[in-house]
Amino acid sequence: MSHEIAVIEGDGVGQEVVPAALEVVEAFDIGFEFVSADAGDATKEATGEALPAETYDLAAAADATLFGAAGETAADVILPLRDAVDSFVNVRPATAYPGVDALRPETDVVFLRENTEGVYAGHEDRLSEDLSTLTRVVTSSASRELAEYACDFVEDGRGPAGGPEDGFTVAHKANVMRETDGRFREEVLAVADERGVDADEELMDAFATKLPLDPGQYGVVVCPNLAGDVLSDLAAGLVGGLGLLPSANVGHDNALFEPVHGTAPDIAGEGIANPTAAILSAAMLLEYLGYVEEGQRVRDAVEGVLSDGPRTGDLGGDATTEEVTAAIVERL
Ligand code: NAI
Ligand code: MG
């Protein structure tokens, strides 16, 4: 049975890099059924809603979604879309590729970020002129679910080398947030122990120093929501640019794939956006749907082009999005 893929380009360079990613996927002739839907700033202007109900429903019903980026309405689009696919983990690889001028060429880490709770659970209040509060939510169930995913991930050999052998590092701040991060730490380490997976731990502030100093010591990193957001962006800075970083929001029986970057308004419409992040997001989508060999072939083709060119302007070249995409398809 053919898989239905929701395609949401969104705004800005989303409209350039998502078609590039589709061109790469279509090179395989798998017979996916692509269904496009609107979201973002332009959609809000036209319809009054950044994320129309049809788009939410389409993402919820599809087998997977490929999303580009939304502009000012990003939070109104991506947070509900993560909910539409029931995503409990945000997978964010940061890999420095040969041929790319990375700050830390030895960086090869994958963040597995809790995607539903922590300080992003939405319980914020303005209680008075002077006082605002935020309630942090941590459940054993979400922590354990993330940890089970992390165990599967390393057992399947999907993690990079580094970190505890065939295991993962959990980053937290349980020495201060004893109840919330304490629970998170305890549950994640308990699941690793039950599953016989190696896990070690780092306090997240110390981790933020050690990662840029010596990224080679880390592989798979499991973290609470906010920590995963910040630390994975830190890692992005080590590997040479936003145009390279894919991500996956994985749910129980659905998932959404998106480049980490936004709409890049400074270059949007010029046809010069780097399609790599979107194409690697599509590789993650292929792997998620069981097309592991195809996903690997996309990765190999992308790595070849990053190494030999052509390259877009953000990587020091002068190629267009279309030229880079064509070079990747050619290698497939
Ligand atoms: P951005 O990621 O759009 O751009 C930051 C810088 O990186 C810019 O100089 C841009 O040209 C460059 N860049 C980004 N993607 C690139 C690509 N594929 N190729 C070459 N260069 C690339 O982040 P910024 O400027 O902070 O945000 C712009 C808009 O995007 C905002 O409206 C923001 O709300 C939205 N945004 C949306 C996200 C989403 O939909 N998930 C994520 C981040 C930002
Ligand atoms: Mg972020």
Side-chain angles (χ1 to χ4, degrees), residues 23-31 286 293-295 297-298 332:
E23 200 178 314
V24 169
V25 172
E26 283 178 325
F28 291 112
D29 202 21
I30 291 173
L286 285 166
E293 194 202 314
E294 287 82 354
R297 284 176 59 198
V298 173
L332 290 175

Side-chain angles (χ1 to χ4, degrees), residues 117-121 123 134-138 172-173 177-182 184 204 223-227:
E117 51 186 37
V119 292
Y120 288 179
H123 303 294
L134 164 71
T135 301
R136 183 159 192 243
V137 177
V138 174
H172 61 77
K173 192 77 181 163
M177 295 179 282
R178 292 185 191 137
E179 271 311 322
T180 50
D181 264 11
F184 178 81
M204 64 173 80
C223 5
N225 204 339
L226 169 63

Side-chain angles (χ1 to χ4, degrees), residues 82 90 92 113 120 226 228-230 232-233 260:
R82 286 176 183 157
N90 186 204
R92 289 182 156 210
R113 163 190 172 195
Y120 288 179
L226 169 63
D229 190 5
V230 176
S232 65
D233 276 26
V260 168

Side-chain angles (χ1 to χ4, degrees), residues 142-154:
S143 306
R144 292 185 69 88
E145 186 155 56
L146 173 67
E148 293 284 1
Y149 183 90
C151 291
D152 293 342
F153 194 87
V154 298

Side-chain angles (χ1 to χ4, degrees), residues 230-251:
V230 176
L231 296 172
S232 65
D233 276 26
L234 173 70
L238 303 178
V239 303
L242 276 169
L244 299 172
L245 290 152
S247 73
N249 297 278
V250 180

